[in-house]
Amino acid sequence: MTRPVLLVVAHGSRDPRHAATVHALVRRVRALRPGLRVETGFLDFNVPSVGGVLQSLAAEGVRDVVALPLLLTRAFHAKADIPAVLREARARLRVRQAEVLGPSPLLLAALERRLYEAGHTPADKSSTGVVLASAGSTDPEAIAVIAEIAREWRHTGWCAVRPAFASAALPRTEDAVRELRALGCARVAVAPYVLAPGRLPDRIARGAAGADVLADVLGAAPEVARLLLHRYDAARRPVLTALGA
């Protein structure tokens, strides 16, 4: 049976670092699963567009696609923008929308990887407060998910973990850094809960000026690549079951 094409749906950005990071992540996904066709489409600012990729796939004779939102929470893009684009293609293609990436233990592992790469050491964990800094959203569900991730991550041995947001919600990164200092944490680290560089991640970085450690974005971390494949497999599983595979 032919496997569905995996279409990674990225937000897009005027910042060229964004697309470069997305393409690096997709290359890592391809390396993890040779033989799986993986395409990339952008909602805005970059090419190819999601609609353009779907049109090209249909013209080639492809009939089955799993569209995977490159998003960490189920906010507006996952609930409205992406389904609207996919609906336009469903007359020519069977398109299933996979779940967004977060929350997942693999993302927490990727966050810790980035902190260690930035200079944090396991021996400092119990004395370090972490700011879980996300882009922010006007969607209450997305904000609640970030807060819950921070609570869960705290129980893995950190001094404290506080959520922060670069836009649309409070506190800001710099406020969370100050709160952790006031709490008595010996060290403060900022872990950007974002996938690629851009305007809001840059705002997070500026807010981290008072921290001891600033991690890089999640980007093409191996845990993120593995998570994309987990979401792809979960999206196609009902069809495999129905066919007795």
Side-chain angles (χ1 to χ4, degrees):
M1 185 183 68
T2 302
R3 288 182 291 185
V5 171
L6 169 56
L7 172 58
V8 176
V9 180
H11 182 277
S13 171
R14 293 185 178 90
D15 189 322
R17 296 174 298 168
H18 175 92
T21 302
V22 171
H23 291 311
L25 175 59
V26 169
R27 286 194 297 271
R28 175 155 266 170
V29 172
R30 290 183 181 128
L32 285 175
R33 191 167 295 181
L36 173 63
R37 182 171 179 180
V38 186
E39 300 290 343
T40 308
F42 295 89
L43 291 173
D44 207 352
F45 302 117
N46 301 103
V47 292
S49 68
V50 176
V53 174
L54 291 170
Q55 187 174 13
S56 296
L57 290 173
E60 289 180 30
V62 171
R63 290 294 174 262
D64 203 0
V65 176
V66 170
L68 197 161
L70 201 59
L71 301 169
L72 297 175
T73 59
R74 285 194 74 252
F76 181 79
H77 293 300
K79 295 177 180 178
D81 286 354
I82 294 174
V85 174
L86 300 184
R87 276 195 298 271
E88 296 177 4
R90 284 188 172 125
R92 306 180 303 277
L93 292 164
R94 178 191 176 100
V95 184
R96 283 162 283 172
Q97 181 175 334
E99 289 296 323
V100 298
L101 299 181
S104 168
L106 283 170
L107 290 176
L108 292 182
L111 286 167
E112 295 205 5
R113 171 189 291 275
R114 292 301 191 224
L115 285 169
Y116 294 139
E117 290 171 348
H120 173 74
T121 64
D124 295 324
K125 190 169 187 177
S126 63
S127 61
T128 300
V130 180
V131 179
L132 180 68
S134 76
S137 174
T138 57
D139 189 312
E141 178 186 349
I143 297 301
V145 166
I146 299 299
E148 180 59 26
I149 292 170
R151 284 191 291 269
E152 291 183 3
W153 202 18
R154 161 69 181 85
H155 295 308
T156 65
W158 298 101
C159 172
V161 179
R162 294 290 185 271
F165 307 94
S167 67
L170 296 174
R172 295 287 184 257
T173 302
E174 53 268 34
D175 299 326
V177 169
R178 284 193 292 267
E179 180 185 350
L180 291 171
R181 293 284 189 208
L183 191 64
C185 297
R187 290 166 56 85
V188 175
V190 174
Y193 191 63
V194 293
L195 286 164
R199 178 176 57 87
L200 294 179
D202 285 348
R203 186 179 296 173
I204 289 171
R206 290 192 296 271
D212 299 293
V213 175
L214 169 62
D216 199 357
V217 298
L218 295 170
E223 296 85 357
V224 179
R226 286 165 49 203
L227 180 55
L228 262 69
L229 290 172
H230 289 336
R231 294 290 188 253
Y232 168 80
D233 290 337
R236 64 190 287 259
R237 193 170 295 132
V239 173
L240 292 176
T241 302
L243 294 176

